[in-house]
Amino acid sequence: MTDRFLDVSLDRRGVRCTAKLLDDRAPRTCDAVWNALPLGGDVYHAKYARNEIYTLVPPFAPQEPPLENPTITPIPGDLCYFTFTDTQLGTASYGYEAARAATARGAGTDPAPARPLQSRVVDLALFYERNNLLINGDAGWVPGIVWGAVVDGLDRMADACQDLWRAGALGETLSFRRA
């Protein structure tokens, strides 16, 4: 099989890096992601795992990939795949209320009731620096599938991720596209 590559970008900041799919280590996950590209959405910076940015997307695989090439200690440049249920991410501490809340009704100021997350959501993550640990205060260890590795541009992306951490993620998107 020929190597497959994708662009990972922070769109508003105009920063991108190139990653190689790890077809030899996570073939089912790589196929699922590749066949669903392009993917992306609002970007979040991790609170618990440390040096991670990620986006939440609707499930896209015909069948959920098994836990192949798992890690709880991702290294710089790792692309990881996680899947969560609405109950795993349903508490306010995760900060997704804004993403779930509908816009205000009409011209009034009363917000519409929050809608729940889908029953399942996929988290596509990029780790940009070392010393990451995938542990969650509510759930414990959260192994992820390492399905890609950044091969070019990680230094620029890491700088942009640090800026995202300091300046905020509002209005920024994380995108994954075929290279």
Side-chain angles (χ1 to χ4, degrees):
M1 174 178 247
T2 336
D3 289 339
R4 297 188 284 183
F5 296 89
L6 63 136
D7 286 329
V8 181
S9 61
L10 287 170
D11 299 318
R12 195 181 88 204
R13 285 172 171 79
V15 177
R16 67 183 59 248
C17 59
T18 303
K20 178 184 174 202
L21 273 68
L22 301 177
D23 286 301
D24 58 331
R25 297 181 187 166
R28 292 181 188 146
T29 306
C30 289
D31 283 345
V33 172
W34 186 258
N35 292 331
L37 293 175
L39 292 165
D42 291 343
V43 67
Y44 299 92
H45 196 288
K47 289 169 61 173
Y48 303 109
R50 296 194 65 179
N51 302 299
E52 170 196 9
I53 61 169
Y54 61 96
T55 189
L56 301 173
V57 297
F60 51 81
Q63 183 175 348
E64 186 65 28
L67 187 60
E68 50 187 5
N69 199 29
T71 189
I72 57 166
T73 56
I75 62 172
D78 277 352
L79 299 181
C80 288
Y81 176 107
F82 304 90
T83 187
F84 297 104
T85 66
D86 59 346
T87 57
Q88 289 173 301
L89 297 181
T91 63
S93 66
Y94 294 101
Y96 306 122
E97 308 78 41
R100 292 191 314 229
T103 57
R105 286 183 228 136
T109 57
D110 294 334
R115 58 184 164 81
L117 281 171
Q118 300 177 19
S119 61
R120 196 167 55 90
V121 65
V122 172
D123 171 330
L124 296 177
L126 164 69
F127 291 84
Y128 63 89
E129 188 51 78
R130 46 184 298 217
N131 296 326
N132 302 295
L133 186 59
L134 300 179
I135 190 164
N136 175 289
D138 297 330
W141 299 108
V142 182
I145 299 169
V146 182
W147 59 274
V150 174
V151 294
D152 183 52
L154 184 59
D155 53 346
R156 294 182 307 274
M157 183 60 79
D159 289 344
C161 292
Q162 280 296 311
D163 180 63
L164 188 137
W165 174 251
R166 290 187 313 270
L170 194 59
E172 182 63 87
T173 56
L174 176 61
S175 298
F176 298 84
R177 296 177 185 87
R178 292 181 183 188

